[in-house]
């Protein structure tokens, strides 16, 4: 049987252009420049009120998948690009030239319903070219999994779909999206912060990343977003986003393969006070972890126990899931139906906390916890966008370790936590952070 593989990136993961040129792209590993350029494009990118599931007709169209680190402060976590995933699929014989690989770029500002319907049309066209017996397998990162689910469940693609493989998809949303939408972008970014906040609140897609599960503290216990008032947010947009989640079912569960980032401190529940959201790592008294962006309770389908063996955990952060070798091995195993070789269960699994954004002149503070894992010596390194080491620290071994880096020039960096000793396995964890200089923005 002919197989079509479709890669669906997450929010921010596709370049965008209008008739005058590119309005969102990252090229030459210049994430910082891309953010500053975006600041001048925001009026074009902001969506009109009441857009719903429609296209605004503003001439903006998607072009390609992001190749490099991409980030918009306060919108979603910084993310690596999709080059490594594409190359792995090429090595398996899936290429754009052969017609059996579709890299689905989409306008991530818009509703996942709109993009899911668009995806269905593109998949049908590609399958028809491959032949009547062809079927599709989706490989999705983050929000891309929600786009694919809508395509499969609501747009008639299920009969022609073999597998849905997701990496870090917020099946039930993420508390971090609640914090970002309500609190807005950090005020230290000056006028850019206000523009980014207004832009974020105009996006149906970002509202569809809000937590569907009960996560907001109240006197009666945890409640859902539709059971309380969310400061600053459009009630209709929130209700519509939850209706999007409510329409998704478990009809394709037997052919769904979810890869989760695990063992990372992750915002899971929230408290609203004085018009602001504060997030907490615990859920009903337990720390369940996640990938530092999507909590474990949001990473599994409704009704699925977190102990289910259909959830495949890899120790990594949301930033790098689609770039992680272990994750790509699992994706390959699912696509080719080969046996998965379990990772070494004695590996140390560090839990890493890194801010998404710091201002130039501030220290970058990294916290590493070694709870419920074997304590080993670790190296905390800061790398530039080209992967060159800028600085490193080797904190004394303890359950909680801290490393502080000062004087970093404006730009985008990776923080990599790894082992030091040969033969003492440590699951490497990679985060991304943006250092911004605000004057003149």
């Amino acid at each position: 049987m002919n197989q079509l593989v479709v890669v669906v990136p997450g929010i921010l993961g596709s370049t965008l252009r209008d008739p005058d040129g590119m309005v969102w792209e990252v090229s030459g590993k210049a994430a910082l420049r891309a953010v500053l350029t975006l600041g001048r494009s925001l009026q074009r990118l902001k969506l009109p009120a009441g857009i719903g599931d429609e296209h605004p007709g503003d001439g903006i169209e998607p072009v390609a998948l992001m190749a490099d680190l991409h980030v918009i402060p306060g919108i979603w976590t910084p993310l690596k690009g999709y080059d490594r995933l594409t190359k792995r699929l090429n090595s398996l014989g899936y290429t754009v030239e052969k017609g059996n690989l579709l890299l689905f770029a989409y306008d991530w500002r818009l509703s996942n319903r709109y993009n899911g319907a668009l995806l269905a049309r593109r998949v049908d066209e590609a399958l028809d070219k491959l032949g009547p017996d062809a079927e599709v397998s989706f490989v999705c990162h983050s929000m891309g999994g929600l786009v694919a689910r809508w395509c499969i469940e609501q747009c008639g693609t299920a009969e022609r779909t073999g597998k849905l493989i997701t990496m870090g998809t917020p099946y039930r949303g993420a508390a971090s999206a609640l914090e970002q939408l309500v609190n807005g972008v950090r005020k230290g970014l000056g006028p850019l912060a206000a523009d980014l906040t207004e832009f974020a609140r105009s996006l149906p897609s970002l509202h569809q990343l809000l937590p569907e599960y009960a996560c907001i503290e109240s006197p009666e216990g945890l409640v859902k977003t539709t059971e309380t008032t969310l400061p600053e947010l459009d009630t209709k947009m929130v209700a519509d986003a939850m209706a999007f989640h409510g329409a998704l079912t478990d009809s394709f569960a037997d052919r769904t393969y979810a890869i989760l980032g695990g063992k990372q401190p992750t915002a899971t529940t929230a408290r609203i006070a004085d018009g602001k959201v504060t997030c907490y790592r615990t859920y009903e008294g337990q720390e369940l972890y996640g990938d530092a962006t999507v909590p474990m309770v949001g990473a599994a389908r409704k009704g699925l126990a977190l102990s289910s063996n259909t959830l495949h955990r890899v120790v990594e952060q949301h930033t790098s899931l689609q770039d992680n070798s272990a994750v790509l091995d699992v994706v390959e195993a699912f696509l080719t139906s080969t046996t998965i070789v379990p990772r070494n269960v004695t590996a140390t699994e560090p839990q890493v906390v890194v801010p998404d954004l710091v201002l130039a002149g501030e220290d970058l503070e990294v916290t590493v916890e070694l709870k419920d894992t074997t304590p080993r010596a670790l190296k905390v390194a800061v790398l530039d966008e080209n992967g060159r080491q800028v600085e490193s620290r080797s904190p004394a071994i303890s359950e909680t370790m801290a490393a502080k880096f000062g004087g970093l020039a404006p730009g985008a960096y990776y923080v990599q936590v790894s082992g030091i000793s040969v033969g003492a396995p440590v699951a490497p964890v990679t985060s991304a952070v943006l250092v911004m200089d605000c004057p003149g923005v």
Side-chain angles (χ1 to χ4, degrees):
M1 177 179 288
N2 292 328
Q3 178 171 235
L4 170 70
V5 173
V6 178
V7 176
V8 189
I11 192 169
L12 311 180
S14 305
T15 61
L16 303 176
R17 72 180 174 201
D18 69 7
D20 297 324
M22 302 301 294
V23 292
W24 169 243
E25 69 170 335
V26 179
S27 59
K29 296 192 178 294
L32 179 60
R33 186 171 69 246
V35 170
L36 297 179
T37 301
L38 176 72
R40 295 187 286 273
S41 305
L42 283 173
Q43 293 309 309
R44 286 182 287 173
L45 285 170
K46 182 182 174 183
L47 295 174
I51 186 65
D53 298 327
E54 302 301 318
H55 191 287
D58 54 6
I60 292 175
E61 59 182 22
V63 181
L65 270 58
M66 284 288 192
D68 297 326
L69 181 71
H70 48 285
V71 54
I72 301 178
I75 306 296
W76 195 243
T77 191
L79 296 165
K80 287 189 175 182
Y82 296 93
D83 272 10
R84 194 173 181 190
L85 171 60
T86 302
K87 290 176 181 176
R88 175 65 72 94
L89 294 173
N90 292 163
S91 74
L92 299 176
Y94 299 102
T95 68
V96 172
E97 293 73 21
K98 290 180 181 178
N100 61 359
L101 176 63
L102 172 60
L103 305 177
F104 180 67
Y106 63 93
D107 188 340
W108 41 262
R109 302 175 303 157
L110 308 180
S111 166
N112 289 319
R113 296 187 189 95
Y114 175 91
N115 285 314
L118 176 61
L119 175 59
R121 295 194 293 273
R122 296 283 172 80
V123 167
D124 280 343
E125 293 169 0
L127 286 175
D128 289 344
K129 291 178 181 178
L130 287 176
D133 66 339
E135 70 174 21
V136 60
S137 288
F138 295 93
V139 178
C140 310
H141 176 237
S142 194
M143 189 178 77
L146 299 180
V147 174
R149 286 191 72 192
W150 190 266
C151 167
I152 294 168
E153 296 182 20
Q154 302 293 327
C155 301
T157 310
E159 290 184 0
R160 306 184 77 180
T161 302
K163 298 172 183 176
L164 169 62
I165 302 169
T166 64
M167 301 170 284
T169 288
Y171 281 84
R172 303 190 67 186
S176 58
L178 178 65
E179 182 179 35
Q180 290 156 348
L181 278 169
V182 172
N183 294 355
V185 180
R186 182 171 170 176
K187 291 182 178 179
L189 294 181
L192 183 59
D195 287 345
L196 285 169
T197 298
E198 292 177 8
F199 168 62
R201 290 174 181 165
S202 78
L203 307 184
S205 58
L206 187 55
H207 285 74
Q208 289 164 351
L209 294 174
L210 285 169
E212 179 277 333
Y213 64 94
C215 71
I216 301 171
E217 293 184 359
S218 79
E220 292 75 34
L222 295 178
V223 298
K224 294 189 173 187
T225 57
T226 52
E227 298 171 337
T228 186
T229 300
L230 302 181
E232 306 294 341
L233 300 193
D234 184 316
T235 302
K236 290 183 178 178
M237 289 186 74
V238 174
D240 183 70
M242 295 305 101
F244 165 79
H245 282 278
L248 295 173
T249 68
D250 280 340
S251 60
F252 202 75
D254 60 330
R255 286 174 281 168
T256 297
Y257 305 82
I259 304 169
L260 286 55
K263 209 64 183 288
Q264 301 307 300
T266 307
T268 304
T269 55
R271 180 180 300 159
I272 300 175
D274 302 321
K276 294 293 182 182
V277 167
T278 302
C279 285
Y280 299 90
R281 291 163 43 173
T282 56
Y283 186 81
E284 295 184 340
Q286 296 184 63
E287 183 159 8
L288 301 176
Y289 298 109
D291 64 14
T293 299
V294 179
M296 198 60 66
V297 293
R301 302 186 312 274
K302 285 183 285 188
L304 186 66
L306 297 184
S307 58
S308 170
N309 59 8
T310 65
L311 301 176
H312 304 269
R313 293 174 173 82
V314 175
V315 178
E316 183 57 283
Q317 298 210 345
H318 198 76
T319 294
S320 305
L321 279 171
Q322 73 283 10
D323 193 70
N324 179 286
S325 294
V327 172
L328 296 181
D329 288 343
V330 177
V331 170
E332 179 176 342
F334 288 153
L335 282 176
T336 60
S337 299
T338 56
T339 302
I340 301 172
V341 178
R343 61 182 172 77
N344 189 336
V345 295
T346 63
T348 294
E349 299 174 336
Q351 300 120 49
V352 184
V353 179
V354 178
D356 290 345
L357 169 73
V358 298
L359 301 181
E362 294 180 340
D363 289 336
L364 168 61
E365 298 185 7
V366 179
T367 303
V368 183
E369 299 175 358
L370 298 179
K371 296 179 181 177
D372 304 317
T373 192
T374 305
R376 288 193 173 103
L378 301 177
K379 175 183 177 181
V380 182
V382 175
L383 315 177
D384 66 17
E385 286 185 275
N386 296 306
R388 293 187 294 261
Q389 182 173 301
V390 177
E391 287 187 70
S392 69
R393 304 276 190 274
S394 297
I397 299 175
S398 64
E399 186 175 277
T400 301
M401 297 180 276
K404 187 178 293 187
F405 301 88
L408 293 175
Y413 297 89
Y414 297 113
V415 175
Q416 190 173 77
V417 177
S418 58
I420 295 175
S421 304
V422 176
V426 174
V429 175
T430 302
S431 310
V433 58
L434 200 65
V435 178
M436 290 195 69
D437 189 8
C438 292
V441 170

